[in-house]
Amino acid sequence: MNEKVRAIEERHQRSADVPEFRIGDTVRVHVRIREGEKERTQAFEGTVLARQGNGPNETFTVRRVASGIGVERIFPVSSPNVQSIVVTRRGKARRAKLYYLRKRTGKSAKTKARDLR
Amino acid sequence: MSGIIGRKRGMTRIFEEDGTAVPVTVIEAGPCVVTQVKSDETDGYDAVQLGFERARRKSLTKPEAGHLKKARVPALRELREFRVDEPSAYEVGQEIRVDIFEPGEIVDVTGWSKGRGFQGVVKRHGHSGGSETHGSRSHRIPGSIGQSATPARVWKGRKLPGRMGNERVTLKRLTVVEVDSEKNIILIRGAVPGTANGLVLVRKLNVAGK
């Protein structure tokens, strides 16, 4: 990529307040949503299935099972609507994309805790 | 000044305050030097000729070098004209930078489209092509190009296969997202014709109809 484009991207991407999180981790994402005139923050907690892209284009997929129904949301890391990302549990993953979790239920749909020694 | 010469450097995206993702083209434009001022009295029309990018003397032709020497400006690779209303407001040697534009402004952008080589009618002219199956053998053929006895020739302008792309294309009414006059960078919303590092002309919205 051209270094001038790179410089623009660096200025517009977010890096400082994004914690280090990996595929398999459980995160809580605080999303700013607008309802008409009102603004409020909504939390979405689940397992990170994938991270994709780089620079300001980077996105990550979070999956949770809400009242029996699997819900996945894809967030751009640099979007100002993503107010904060909190890692609630470190998970171990041996794949870059955990799409196989979609077919699983119960205990096998969880990632093993990552040893943080 | 009504326009500037630049090079398309690539695309990326940026986020607005409300979270909207904006696709942008990064254009490195200017600084340009006024190399000639044309007025109605002397040339029959009002325009300013701008030069862009330093070049080695030997990469210019002798007429080009002589023209620039007369204007007392360094050797420049690209020379383009921009129509202006008041040519007397400019003088030879004056520097033009991207600060002639401001965020939110509507501009026209001219580039030279990517060359596609020799292409058939489906890609080049958007024909729908024939059936792929059911015994059809006319998959991507151009079809009939005219009648037999009258006119007994092919009309001019008939859409046929041929060279596609590598032509001057102007996109009108694009929005300026950001201007950085220190780095000579201008961000335009959306795509712009041409390859990365291709020459582009960014022009102010054509109000006068010139």
Side-chain angles (χ1 to χ4, degrees), chain A residues 4 9 11-12 32 57 80, chain B residues 12-14 16-17 178:
Chain A
K4 310 275 178 185
E9 291 200 337
R11 202 145 43 81
H12 284 99
R32 187 176 66 181
N57 297 317
Chain B
T12 182
R13 77 165 168 188
I14 59 178
E16 275 174 14
E17 194 47 47
E178 232 176 74

Side-chain angles (χ1 to χ4, degrees), chain B residues 46-181:
Chain B
D46 295 331
V48 167
Q49 186 187 61
L50 295 186
F52 177 56
E53 281 183 337
R54 291 292 292 270
R56 286 169 303 169
R57 161 63 190 91
K58 69 175 182 182
S59 61
L60 301 180
T61 64
K62 273 198 163 179
E64 282 169 345
H67 171 67
L68 293 171
K69 198 175 172 186
K70 194 174 138 197
R72 291 208 179 78
V73 293
L76 296 164
R77 192 180 305 277
E78 305 286 348
L79 301 178
R80 306 284 151 164
E81 276 184 20
F82 294 89
R83 299 293 285 261
V84 292
D85 291 331
E86 201 50 65
S88 55
Y90 306 96
E91 54 186 80
V92 170
Q94 189 184 339
E95 200 180 58
I96 307 290
R97 304 182 73 92
V98 283
D99 53 19
I100 57 170
F101 297 107
E102 54 188 62
E105 202 175 336
I106 307 291
V107 292
D108 295 344
V109 178
T110 301
W112 279 261
S113 63
K114 287 182 181 173
R116 312 282 154 150
F118 194 98
Q119 294 296 337
V121 289
V122 174
K123 190 184 186 81
R124 191 175 181 219
H125 299 296
H127 288 186
S128 48
S131 188
E132 293 295 325
T133 54
H134 301 295
S136 162
R137 299 191 315 197
S138 59
H139 305 307
R140 296 174 72 90
I141 63 170
S144 168
I145 58 169
Q147 296 73 39
S148 167
T150 33
R153 64 187 178 87
V154 177
W155 293 110
K156 283 202 167 182
R158 174 85 249 160
K159 289 173 180 172
L160 287 172
R163 290 280 188 92
M164 183 183 172
N166 195 20
E167 58 183 338
R168 185 184 154 116
V169 179
T170 303
L171 286 187
K172 294 184 171 179
R173 301 191 69 83
L174 304 179
T175 312
V176 175
V177 177
E178 232 176 74
V179 175
D180 187 340
S181 53

